[in-house]
Amino acid sequence: DDGLLATKDLKKYFPVKGGILNRKVGDVKAVDGVSLAIEEGKTLGLVGESGCGKSTLGKTIMRLHDPTDGNIYFDGEDISDAGKSRMRKIRRNMQIIFQDPASSLNPRMSVAELIQEPMKTLTDWSKEERRDRTLELISEVGLQEGHLQRAPHEFSGGQQQRVAIARALSVNPKLIVADEPTSALDVSVQAKILNLLSDLQDTYDLTFLFISHDLSVIKHICDDVAVMYLGKLAEVASTEEIFDDPKHPYTKALMSAVPDASAESMTDRILLEGDVPSPENPPSGCRFHTRCQEYIGEICETDEPQFTEPSAGRYCSCHHYSGST
Ligand code: SF4
Ligand code: MG
């Protein structure tokens, strides 16, 4: 079973233009062959440093970008080349929440208009049905009826994100892509929004792709975690396995930076040296080899590691686990 959402070798490249004739001189390989699956009702976390392609992957899954290659399966249907009218039907079932509600919400619309817009464009519900759904949502996200006629800028960041959540949920989607939904908010508000998303997941049996660079948020909310590095997945495992027993050297470095109760963890911290290399010219072989502390030899520079199963149900892309050494 591939779950509610799956991708197969999904790629999204952006052309790079340059020179006096402004011709294409290369590609930014933002997403460079990603295969993942999310079971219905589960939350898959997508983590990695900024610029690793997380947001591009989320947007490509939503078909806000056209994929360069590969497949996206939603509810068993390949939507990777679905046209406008087919996407309109599909979009009802997959919605996205962005990081910054202040820029994702149209400032000229009232809260009521913002929540109703997806219902108007994606459903054939009557005015009464839309009004009833709006009233139901406004209380479910912790706002009041009196807020409906007001404009988004009259609200705090946390309240604005509640409006964005109500808007995304208005059409009863199955999948929510949440791209750093709490990163722009005050720390005191973050936990409230995360709890709200968890509660709504239970109420509506939602499936989440939860994109975040914040590992404490990921630990709190995700069932499984996919670790992304330079356009590819390094490792996929349950949240518990990723935090307690990371396998990929990149995951180990990320996890070593998470503060934890045991005193020894800070001395065990693995510092990642150097910047993330350019996704226009990723390193040969294993693209993590320029920063890897467990580099095992020339094979790391010459051969791209395959995504293998080091133990049942968990995947790692490293020669150390592929049996080729
Ligand atoms: Fe490190 Fe080699 Fe594994 Fe890449 S393949 S993560 S360089 S050990
Ligand atoms: Mg991002």
Side-chain angles (χ1 to χ4, degrees):
D1 182 19
D2 265 349
L4 180 66
L5 176 88
T7 67
K8 193 164 167 266
D9 211 16
L10 189 63
K11 294 181 182 166
K12 178 60 193 175
Y13 293 178
F14 297 100
V16 182
K17 291 183 177 172
I20 196 160
L21 295 172
N22 199 33
R23 277 196 292 224
K24 182 175 154 174
V25 292
D27 283 302
V28 169
K29 295 165 183 162
V31 175
D32 200 13
V34 168
S35 302
L36 54 74
I38 316 177
E39 270 177 64
E40 194 152 6
K42 298 284 188 193
T43 299
L44 177 70
L46 186 62
V47 301
E49 290 158 292
S50 81
C52 70
K54 308 186 293 292
S55 292
T56 304
L57 177 57
K59 284 186 184 151
T60 307
I61 284 170
M62 285 292 301
R63 285 293 316 274
L64 299 176
H65 294 311
D66 286 331
T68 304
D69 199 10
N71 307 87
I72 306 157
Y73 299 95
F74 183 74
D75 232 351
E77 191 186 344
D78 188 347
I79 64 162
S80 45
D81 57 4
K84 269 212 171 88
S85 68
R86 223 174 117 216
M87 268 323 292
R88 187 176 162 272
K89 292 200 187 86
I90 294 159
R91 193 139 286 144
R92 214 186 127 168
N93 284 312
M94 52 199 295
Q95 290 283 308
I96 188 164
I97 300 168
F98 294 102
Q99 173 171 352
D100 184 10
S103 59
S104 71
L105 299 175
N106 185 337
R108 284 180 297 277
M109 291 169 92
S110 68
V111 168
E113 287 168 331
L114 284 164
I115 296 175
Q116 298 211 350
E117 189 186 47
M119 296 189 252
K120 277 188 181 162
T121 56
L122 300 176
T123 76
D124 51 15
W125 296 347
S126 68
K127 211 172 165 184
E128 289 68 35
E129 287 170 306
R130 296 198 301 260
R131 191 200 54 212
D132 291 349
R133 180 79 185 118
T134 304
L135 291 171
E136 183 178 48
L137 278 161
I138 202 85
S139 85
E140 277 177 346
V141 301
L143 297 172
Q144 280 104 49
E145 217 180 307
H147 290 141
L148 283 170
Q149 296 316 315
R150 292 166 60 184
H153 66 81
E154 297 177 54
F155 296 98
S156 68
Q159 286 173 317
Q160 289 178 11
Q161 200 58 303
R162 289 175 195 270
V163 174
I165 291 167
R167 183 178 149 86
L169 287 184
S170 63
V171 291
N172 287 325
K174 294 180 179 174
L175 175 78
I176 298 278
V177 173
D179 188 0
E180 304 269 9
T182 60
S183 303
L185 305 176
D186 289 345
V187 176
S188 61
V189 180
Q190 290 187 5
K192 289 183 187 151
I193 296 294
L194 288 178
N195 290 335
L196 173 65
L197 288 170
S198 279
D199 291 346
L200 291 167
Q201 178 167 41
D202 293 342
T203 307
Y204 290 105
D205 200 20
L206 295 168
T207 305
F208 281 121
L209 176 63
F210 198 98
I211 302 171
S212 182
H213 69 279
D214 185 335
L215 294 165
S216 58
V217 166
I218 291 286
K219 191 173 186 176
H220 184 77
I221 202 160
C222 298
D223 299 295
D224 299 290
V225 180
V227 180
M228 195 165 181
Y229 185 78
L230 215 55
K232 282 184 179 290
L233 296 185
E235 183 166 4
V236 181
S238 72
T239 303
E240 203 185 335
E241 287 167 329
I242 285 282
F243 280 84
D244 295 346
D245 180 27
K247 298 264 191 248
H248 194 283
Y250 179 57
T251 315
K252 288 181 192 170
L254 288 182
M255 293 306 146
S256 77
V258 178
D260 104 25
S262 67
E264 68 211 289
S265 65
M266 287 320 278
T267 57
D268 291 342
R269 176 148 185 190
I270 303 162
L271 284 175
L272 276 173
E273 280 165 39
D275 295 327
V276 181
S278 159
E280 202 182 326
N281 276 307
S284 60
C286 169
R287 54 190 67 191
F288 187 57
H289 84 252
T290 54
R291 301 168 84 197
C292 183
Q293 308 241 336
E294 292 180 36
Y295 179 89
I296 55 167
E298 211 184 300
I299 187 171
C300 294
E301 288 172 52
T302 53
D303 293 17
E304 192 168 320
Q306 298 306 305
F307 211 43
T308 51
E309 217 173 351
S311 63
R314 59 180 303 186
Y315 297 88
C316 186
S317 167
C318 171
H319 288 303
H320 199 75
Y321 296 97
S322 64
S324 56
T325 55

